[in-house]
Amino acid sequence: MNLKELARILGLSQTTVSRALNGYPEVNEATRLRVERAAQQHDYRPNTRAKGLATGRSMAIGHIIPISTKHEIVNPVFADFIAGAGEAYSRKSYDMLLSVVQDADEDRIYREFSAKGAVDGIIVHAPRAGDPRIKLLREIGLPFVVHGRASTEVDDYSWLDVNNRRAFERATNFLLDLGHRRIALINGLEVMDFAFRRREGYVRALTERGIAPDPALMRSDEMTETYGYNSVRTMLAMPDAPTAFLTSSIITAIGVRRAIEDLGMKMGRDISVITHDDELSYLRNGDDVPIFTATRSSVREAGRRAAEMLLRKIADPDLPFQHELMEAELTVGLSTGPVRKKG
């Protein structure tokens, strides 16, 4: 199946079919959907090289990962985001260019990508407050979407994020309603915007209920299983130990559960746990009944939506900046219960 044959089947000109598949804004939505359905039905695959020559685009999206955070590549959260983004790229015949670079070379690689026309746009991962990449990408004129937000950035930019502050405020209030007052936060690295916002939500919930946040009950580090395990072992040895834990990753929560069981206690009865669950494809939170009470938001869906946002901007550079704030759902599992009375 080639473009000419597909156009004949649809009763449209080759130009209209090509523009519909390439996301040109002058093609109305009904026609675009009709063309995309027909292309899928007849297994039409445009020649990427020819498409790039016709549009003046590279037909590729860049994902640049500094080597200091190369663990991102083996992190199932990152993998699921990339899987979701890849679905969106595939539908528009875009390739993905994933590059792991030395930290000192990151700025240079962005500039080279732009100068060589190697990619049509960039997804920015793991933003920090005042992230310098936002200013750089704006300066070199390369379209981009940020997965997350940079708190202190004053100029507008396109982003997609989870409402981390609200999610952790709700989770903390849920534990408070169960009678817990010593609630520990096992957070991600708080130089990252998402973790900073989660801490804000946790602190706000405690403060509004008249409870002074205790620094001894707060941890911030890379979200590994051993980090969760070691944090719980340390904090449960305290004289006034926490009765509940709020964690930023289901990976960390697995370590939390292991520590609780190693100490001869039962999660959900002796110690309550709430985690954030990115609904990972290969690390599910139980089947019919969730193992962990969790704030849930699909990172795969976030990847798909962020990619679609970027592709829309590439197709129509005059589009205003786009913002999407995904709400996390609080789901009750087996890991939480009323605070256990002492004695």
Side-chain angles (χ1 to χ4, degrees):
M1 173 66 68
N2 58 34
L3 181 65
K4 183 177 180 180
E5 292 168 338
L6 182 62
R8 178 179 54 79
I9 290 170
L10 287 162
L12 299 170
S13 70
Q14 292 182 53
T15 299
T16 299
V17 173
S18 176
R19 286 179 176 273
L21 292 172
N22 289 327
Y24 279 79
E26 59 265 31
V27 179
N28 68 55
E29 184 69 6
T31 300
R32 184 183 65 78
L33 290 173
R34 180 177 163 227
V35 170
E36 288 180 350
R37 282 195 294 266
Q40 185 175 15
Q41 179 184 351
H42 296 283
D43 198 28
Y44 171 73
R45 296 288 185 273
N47 182 294
T48 303
R49 181 175 175 80
K51 187 174 179 180
L53 290 171
T55 61
R57 298 175 187 157
S58 68
M59 302 308 297
I61 301 297
H63 295 255
I64 297 177
I65 309 300
I67 203 164
S68 65
T69 57
K70 63 184 177 181
H71 58 273
E72 288 271 9
I73 294 176
V74 294
N75 187 324
V77 175
F78 179 75
D80 260 37
F81 181 91
I82 288 295
E87 292 171 9
Y89 300 151
S90 178
R91 284 196 294 271
K92 295 295 185 180
S93 300
Y94 265 81
D95 294 324
M96 184 189 308
L97 181 56
L98 180 61
S99 184
V100 180
V101 304
Q102 295 286 344
D103 291 52
D105 293 336
E106 190 174 5
D107 284 12
R108 178 178 60 80
I109 298 301
Y110 280 121
R111 293 184 186 278
E112 286 184 1
F113 274 11
S114 178
K116 294 177 180 178
V119 297
D120 295 324
I122 292 285
I123 297 285
V124 176
H125 296 276
R128 304 181 179 211
D131 199 303
R133 292 172 295 179
I134 294 173
K135 181 180 179 181
L136 172 64
L137 289 167
R138 189 183 290 118
E139 175 191 324
I140 62 181
L142 198 55
F144 67 94
V145 167
V146 179
H147 177 214
R149 283 175 285 173
S151 299
T152 59
E153 178 61 43
V154 294
D155 294 322
D156 202 5
Y157 58 95
S158 293
W159 54 262
L160 178 141
D161 198 9
V162 174
N163 196 341
N164 289 293
R165 184 185 292 112
R166 176 172 167 77
F168 271 51
E169 185 176 1
R170 288 182 65 198
T172 306
N173 275 319
F174 183 86
L175 291 169
L176 290 167
D177 289 343
L178 288 172
H180 296 279
R181 293 297 179 267
R182 296 285 289 169
I183 302 169
L185 174 66
I186 304 180
N187 204 3
L189 289 164
E190 290 176 0
V191 294
M192 300 297 179
D193 189 88
F194 79 89
F196 172 76
R197 292 177 189 272
R198 289 177 183 179
R199 181 182 179 126
E200 281 191 331
Y202 160 82
V203 168
R204 179 187 295 175
L206 292 175
T207 303
E208 289 182 351
R209 301 284 278 268
I211 299 171
D214 184 351
L217 296 183
M218 301 181 205
R219 296 286 190 278
S220 170
D221 209 333
E222 187 178 334
M223 298 180 294
T224 63
E225 192 270 352
T226 53
Y227 161 53
Y229 180 86
N230 292 332
S231 296
V232 170
R233 292 289 301 232
T234 300
M235 285 193 274
L236 287 183
M238 296 167 58
D240 191 8
T243 62
F245 291 89
L246 180 56
T247 81
S248 269
S249 166
I250 199 166
I251 299 169
T252 306
I254 292 170
V256 169
R257 180 186 185 184
R258 180 165 68 94
I260 291 169
E261 292 176 349
D262 279 1
L263 290 169
M265 293 183 283
K266 182 177 176 58
M267 184 176 72
R269 182 193 68 192
D270 303 303
I271 301 290
S272 287
V273 179
I274 297 182
T275 188
H276 182 73
D277 176 17
D278 288 292
E279 297 185 27
L280 303 176
S281 302
Y282 293 97
L283 195 59
R284 309 298 296 178
N285 183 15
D287 293 319
D288 295 335
V289 179
I291 297 169
F292 294 100
T293 297
T295 56
R296 299 181 66 188
S297 179
S298 170
V299 71
R300 189 180 187 119
E301 178 67 8
R304 183 184 66 78
R305 292 189 191 184
E308 290 174 345
M309 187 182 290
L310 180 56
L311 292 173
R312 287 195 296 269
K313 183 65 174 177
I314 292 168
D316 183 3
D318 294 327
L319 273 180
F321 292 114
Q322 305 163 81
H323 313 123
E324 184 170 355
L325 188 60
M326 299 172 66
E327 293 293 340
E329 177 187 5
L330 182 64
T331 59
V332 180
L334 302 174
S335 66
T336 48
V339 65
R340 197 172 188 194
K341 304 292 184 184
K342 293 183 179 180

